[in-house]
Amino acid sequence: MTTWHPPAGVSGDSGLIKVSVGMLGPAQYRCPARDALNARPRYRADTPVPRKPEALVGFVNGPFMNVLDLVERQGVAVDDALAKVCTDEVHDSVCQWTRHAVEGYLDTFPPEAGGPVPCRGRWVYETVLSQPDQRGARQYRITVWGRCYRSADGRLREVRLPANRLAGRARTDAEIAVAAKVLAAGGPDAPPEHVTIRQFGMLEGQARTLFDGSRQAALDLYDVSGRAALAQIVDAGDPVEYRPGASCADCAFSAVCPALPRTPGLLGVNNRRRPRRSWSATSARNHAVCPARDYGRRQRLPADQAVERGPAAERGRAVHRYLERRHDGTTTPCDTRVPEDWVPPEFSLSAADHQLGSVLLRNHAVVCPVRHTRKPADLRVEPGLVFEDPEADTVVLAKPDLLYHDGSAWVWREVKTSASHRRGKRSWLERYPQLSLATVLAARDDFGLGISRVELEILRPSGADLYTLDPRTPEVRQQAETVLRQSFRPWQDDDRFLPVPGPHCADCEMARWCSARETTDEAK
């Protein structure tokens, strides 16, 4: 056990430590410092983040739980429960998703005589010490979120953990072990004899058993896979690790976070009255086509894989993934000798797309940025960049395809693939909002990024086009600022994210969850 100290700008005490099982999920999606602070609910930031509620319900799986509560605990019919829960405060896409998930759940777990019955509360494992430990804690509390059930005699406890996709969110060993501990030893009821943990895939309507064993087996599993992981979450390492990301938007401690760069005026909008959110160029691009599409993507509703992984998109991703792995940690530029088995194993391409991808990769060799670098540290592949614009109260997310150092300064490069020889009439800044974001970031010396220029590499069958945007050129900077502001402002002002049906519905990966989508027959 290590002595944990809060960062500057935080006040309170560690007398109560409270952890939920979800905090033990995959590390790449979590901020260790935030988890350690959230585990101490008596801490407060000296500079609080104002709460500005959204018009729409923000927790996408909350309606699913609320509907099942009405159905299982109060005997309300499914349609009536959906009508009661899915009010104007719930986005249409979430309503469609909720209906699908609820119907799949009830098909998978139909009520059965003598079977487990739903619990009205949830189990909590709690420990109270006679005096504070090294962390300063006297009370520990662990909870698990999910559908909770018990046998009529209390000898069996079962929790069903909802996940959007059954295979899309693998539970860590620590999550399973700590959940088993809560079920085996948590109150308020007498401890059970048997514990079962299942994961329910809301998209597939299928379940998978993660643990099924005796109470003692559950306690033993915690000792092996849970205890140390839980301590690591609470202590957050030494020194404490900060991991800025999309979660900064709803973090109560973001105003005092030393790792979140502040870029006032980045988005060109001075409006702190709107709800605090995270924004990216992808949000702007989706919102411009259909606000409902952007909302569904940001709520992480399952995308239609037939659209999401269409031939052109799959080829583009395969080329990007190959280049990502080829560039990572190297000082050797790409050449025209593309291996026959270049396609990464997670992709499946047709013979024609395989051949076209090979052509695009050979064309890339002529403009490969590694030619300008001297050491591996000069090349950063798809780095996750996070900024806060305090004037818009928005967390900005960016992920350049490449940042490379050409010997004098950093260069931001975006890479696009196209099977077409046509170049179009719209400017690159208008067509790709991420270029506008990159240009404005590079133009502001006060942001301290040290980026000298922005490049756009377009790989075509006929060759590689490389365009350079100079952020110091007044016309370029002014256009970038205008495009960025016009991309961001409508999104920031939107409360409802209503659908805009049209021919694009046929290529929308969110259309499945949209009751307003235009069908093929309607398009004709």
Side-chain angles (χ1 to χ4, degrees):
M1 184 185 301
T2 60
T3 301
W4 186 85
H5 299 287
V10 175
S11 303
D13 66 74
S14 299
L16 169 63
I17 291 182
K18 181 180 178 181
V19 178
S20 65
V21 167
M23 294 167 68
L24 294 148
Q28 65 266 35
Y29 303 121
R30 309 201 64 84
C31 172
R34 174 178 173 166
D35 283 340
L37 286 165
N38 285 344
R40 295 162 169 83
R42 295 176 183 172
Y43 274 114
R44 294 291 183 273
D46 296 341
T47 303
V49 177
R51 294 180 60 85
K52 295 172 286 185
E54 293 274 8
L56 296 172
V57 171
F59 180 34
V60 68
N61 289 339
F64 166 80
M65 297 291 279
N66 294 339
V67 169
L68 285 177
D69 284 346
L70 291 172
V71 172
E72 293 187 328
R73 298 176 185 174
Q74 300 182 29
V76 178
V78 171
D79 287 342
D80 293 339
L82 285 164
K84 186 172 183 178
V85 170
C86 291
T87 63
D88 290 342
E89 296 180 352
V90 181
H91 194 271
D92 171 67
S93 61
V94 178
C95 291
Q96 305 305 316
W97 164 245
T98 299
R99 175 179 287 277
H100 172 86
V102 166
E103 290 175 348
Y105 184 90
L106 295 175
D107 286 343
T108 303
F109 300 109
E112 54 181 289
V117 296
C119 302
R120 292 197 171 272
R122 59 179 180 175
W123 300 294
V124 178
Y125 176 74
E126 194 162 13
T127 301
V128 179
L129 307 177
S130 59
Q131 59 184 8
D133 61 14
Q134 188 174 340
R135 297 189 182 101
R138 285 197 59 188
Q139 186 178 8
Y140 286 84
R141 190 178 299 161
I142 310 174
T143 61
V144 58
W145 182 85
R147 305 297 305 169
C148 299
Y149 300 84
R150 63 188 292 274
S151 60
D153 59 8
R155 297 170 63 186
L156 167 69
R157 287 182 181 178
E158 179 174 333
V159 66
R160 300 165 187 169
L161 308 175
N164 282 12
R165 294 180 185 272
L166 192 59
R169 167 66 165 89
R171 299 286 173 176
T172 64
D173 292 344
E175 283 182 287
I176 298 171
V178 175
K181 173 76 168 184
V182 174
L183 266 66
D189 307 322
E193 297 178 5
H194 198 88
V195 166
T196 302
I197 303 172
R198 306 186 199 277
Q199 177 154 294
F200 173 71
M202 300 167 73
L203 176 65
E204 303 90 344
Q206 298 175 359
R208 176 182 299 149
T209 300
L210 304 179
F211 178 84
D212 187 39
S214 67
R215 177 176 185 270
Q216 187 58 53
L219 297 175
D220 292 343
L221 181 64
Y222 172 77
D223 288 338
V224 172
S225 301
R227 188 185 301 277
L230 199 59
Q232 185 176 6
I233 289 290
V234 171
D235 295 331
D238 185 18
V240 175
E241 180 185 359
Y242 297 87
R243 199 175 293 152
S247 62
C248 294
D250 62 359
C251 177
F253 302 93
S254 61
V256 298
C257 177
L260 180 59
R262 272 74 186 183
T263 52
L266 169 62
L267 298 168
V269 174
N270 192 345
N271 184 358
R272 293 184 54 84
R273 298 185 301 274
R274 301 295 301 151
R276 180 177 171 85
R277 300 170 181 161
S278 63
W279 178 88
S280 69
T282 300
S283 298
R285 190 166 55 248
N286 287 335
H287 188 271
V289 176
C290 176
R293 178 185 185 183
D294 166 62
Y295 186 83
R297 294 296 311 214
R298 287 189 295 109
Q299 295 299 315
R300 298 176 181 170
L301 295 179
D304 184 341
Q305 293 300 295
V307 176
E308 179 87 345
R309 306 198 66 164
E314 195 77 343
R315 181 188 63 242
R317 290 193 189 98
V319 169
H320 274 79
R321 185 63 53 80
Y322 173 84
L323 290 176
E324 175 188 348
R325 294 173 179 172
R326 175 65 179 78
H327 291 152
D328 191 23
T330 186
T331 56
T332 304
C334 299
D335 58 35
T336 57
R337 295 170 296 180
V338 178
E340 179 63 26
D341 60 347
W342 70 268
V343 180
E346 61 268 34
F347 296 92
S348 177
L349 301 185
S350 67
D353 282 321
H354 182 284
Q355 177 61 29
L356 177 55
S358 298
V359 172
L360 300 179
L361 290 171
R362 284 196 292 271
N363 292 339
H364 162 79
V366 180
V367 294
C368 179
V370 182
R371 295 183 298 120
H372 304 288
T373 63
R374 300 174 181 175
K375 54 184 183 296
D378 288 343
L379 188 65
R380 299 177 61 192
V381 180
E382 295 196 2
L385 306 181
V386 184
F387 309 93
E388 180 189 61
D389 184 345
E391 294 182 3
D393 199 16
T394 298
V395 175
V396 181
L397 310 175
K399 195 171 187 179
D401 288 326
L402 291 166
L403 284 180
Y404 72 92
H405 202 279
D406 65 358
S408 59
W410 286 96
V411 181
W412 181 312
R413 181 180 290 194
E414 294 292 333
V415 181
K416 303 296 178 185
T417 62
S418 175
S420 172
H421 299 276
R422 299 175 57 189
R423 284 159 174 77
K425 297 180 179 180
R426 296 173 63 200
S427 72
W428 299 124
L429 291 170
E430 292 175 314
R431 191 177 305 181
Y432 302 116
Q434 63 266 43
L435 293 177
S436 295
L437 174 61
T439 301
V440 175
L441 282 167
R444 294 279 297 270
D445 291 333
D446 54 314
F447 292 164
L449 299 183
I451 296 174
S452 64
R453 65 184 184 274
V454 177
E455 295 179 339
L456 172 63
E457 173 186 341
I458 302 183
L459 301 176
R460 305 180 189 277
S462 57
D465 295 335
L466 185 62
Y467 301 91
T468 299
L469 299 169
D470 182 359
R472 271 69 185 175
T473 303
E475 294 81 3
V476 173
R477 174 174 174 170
Q478 183 177 10
Q479 185 185 13
E481 290 174 342
T482 299
V483 170
L484 187 57
R485 181 173 61 253
Q486 292 175 348
S487 298
F488 171 72
R489 179 173 281 160
W491 178 89
Q492 188 195 35
D493 290 341
D494 202 342
D495 277 323
R496 294 292 174 179
F497 298 93
L498 298 176
V500 181
H504 51 264
C505 293
D507 298 318
C508 178
E509 69 281 11
M510 291 288 111
R512 177 178 185 176
W513 314 117
C514 181
S515 63
R517 67 185 181 276
E518 184 176 281
T519 63
T520 304
D521 291 339
E522 289 171 340
K524 294 179 182 178

